[in-house]
Amino acid sequence: MSREERDLVRAAVRRIPPPHQELVSPLIAEPPVGYDRIGEKPGNARGSIGPLRERIVERLGRTLDGEGW
């Protein structure tokens, strides 16, 4: 992924609800933070991270598609 593409994804992440930002931001960090570490935060059950992340990624995809990316 190019720097420009990463910047677009990060900008899209800033436009989603804060709780979703908190979950997906570690996954797109350099280096990415693993599920176990994310699951340590109160309210983030490790087993729920994958399904929630999938819904968030779909939402980000729709946001980026709407911008012609």
Side-chain angles (χ1 to χ4, degrees):
M1 183 182 298
S2 73
R3 182 177 183 82
E4 180 181 345
E5 290 168 331
R6 281 192 304 272
D7 289 345
L8 287 171
V9 169
R10 287 187 178 113
V13 168
R14 286 191 297 270
R15 292 192 301 272
I16 62 176
H20 293 176
Q21 289 178 33
E22 290 176 17
L23 180 65
V24 81
S25 292
L27 297 172
I28 63 172
E30 291 295 328
V33 176
Y35 280 17
D36 288 330
R37 183 80 183 266
I38 295 168
E40 291 173 1
K41 184 175 179 183
N44 285 346
R46 189 186 191 289
S48 68
I49 294 169
L52 182 54
R53 181 193 64 94
E54 185 176 338
R55 290 192 300 273
I56 294 168
V57 168
E58 287 174 6
R59 183 177 185 167
L60 287 172
R62 287 191 304 272
T63 298
L64 292 168
D65 284 345
E67 296 174 1
W69 192 51

